[in-house]
Amino acid sequence: MQLTPTERDRLLIFTAAELARARRARGLRLNVPEATAVISDTVCEAARDGLRLAEAVARGRSVLSPADVLPAVPDLVTEIHVEAVFEDGTRLAVVADPFGGAGLGPAAPGAVLLDDRVDPGPSATLTLAVRNTSGVPISVTSHFHFFEANPRLAFDRAAAYGTHLAVPAGSSVRFDPGATVEVGLVPIGGERVAIGFAGLVDGPLDSPPVRQEALRRAAERGYLGTAEQGCPGANDDDRQEDRT
């Protein structure tokens, strides 16, 4: 039987999770690798059962309590990342507070104390209405350069240039067929270089020539919502949609 690296990794998680469950059934409290395997396997199986990302994450978060693991585990494992295959493709699931927020209490060594008066999120976001004109659900992940998102999503591409979704890292937004969803966007940080994605940019986001070329490529390839001056394409989503 030929297995891909992803399939081999999935079997490794399952095997580790089964061993951890057997030990738990004998009354043993789980260590870090065992707890991580159980939660990861639970998320992957939830995806296989047809659950959505948020539902799979919730199931993973509920499978173990602090009583099921060794005392230090909730302080050591504060977030679990696992790639799972959902009905609409492979997506990164991020299980924050996997034991119900039991980790890093005020007295825990090395704990970081946060001032709850500070807003940890972005100070401002751009809000755009996005319509899925296709016949299938489309999901866009948190890190994706939103300007380069699926061509069948109709929104103001020029306004979305250089931004990503204002959602927690590792999460995503789902657009059902025919639905219009308002999303918040924030500027991409760091060095602001976009490489990969849909291949529309592949360069520094703040370079005017790169931006103009990206808009031209998007219009040329039929991305809805591209109405940049000097680029072929419609001035509104409906007119462009009629040609698809």
Side-chain angles (χ1 to χ4, degrees):
M1 181 173 62
Q2 297 295 322
L3 297 175
T4 66
T6 298
E7 290 167 337
R8 288 197 294 269
D9 289 344
R10 179 69 192 93
L11 286 175
L12 178 62
I13 291 173
F14 170 77
T15 302
E18 284 294 283
L19 177 60
R21 292 186 185 106
R23 289 174 175 172
R24 182 185 175 199
R26 299 203 308 268
L28 299 176
R29 300 179 73 174
L30 305 183
N31 59 24
V32 168
E34 293 164 347
T36 301
V38 169
I39 293 171
S40 298
D41 181 68
T42 300
V43 172
C44 290
E45 287 304 294
R48 186 67 178 84
D49 289 341
L51 272 63
R52 294 187 178 183
L53 177 61
E55 297 169 323
V57 169
R59 183 175 290 186
R61 186 179 291 118
S62 65
V63 70
L64 294 177
S65 71
D68 296 314
V69 298
L70 294 170
V73 171
D75 291 336
L76 295 172
V77 184
T78 59
E79 196 170 79
I80 293 175
H81 293 218
V82 59
E83 286 191 348
V85 180
F86 293 84
E87 290 182 345
D88 54 354
T90 300
R91 294 156 71 184
L92 177 66
V94 180
V95 184
D97 297 326
F99 310 102
L104 292 179
V112 178
L113 303 180
L114 300 178
D115 185 343
D116 58 11
R117 295 171 298 176
V118 178
D119 179 9
S123 58
T125 62
L126 166 69
T127 301
L128 288 182
V130 181
R131 185 171 78 255
N132 180 3
T133 67
S134 77
V136 298
I138 295 173
S139 292
V140 181
T141 54
S142 57
H143 70 283
F144 202 88
H145 184 201
F146 202 74
F147 167 79
E148 302 183 65
N150 193 293
R152 298 298 93 198
L153 292 178
F155 60 91
D156 187 344
R157 298 273 170 176
Y161 183 86
T163 68
H164 64 84
L165 286 165
V167 297
S171 62
S172 63
V173 174
R174 175 186 170 110
F175 303 89
D176 289 322
T180 298
V181 179
E182 281 198 349
V183 299
L185 302 173
V186 294
I188 292 174
E191 297 181 356
R192 289 184 55 77
V193 174
I195 301 294
F197 301 110
L200 298 179
V201 180
D202 284 342
L205 288 166
D206 296 326
S207 166
V210 170
R211 182 180 189 276
Q212 186 63 24
E213 176 62 14
L215 289 165
R216 187 197 67 77
R217 289 178 182 176
E220 183 180 71
R221 298 175 190 179
Y223 280 71
L224 297 182
T226 51
E228 190 76 355
Q229 201 172 41
C231 292
N235 288 325
D236 58 71
D237 292 336
D238 292 335
R239 204 170 80 194
Q240 191 165 22
E241 184 182 350
D242 289 343
R243 297 201 297 271
T244 63

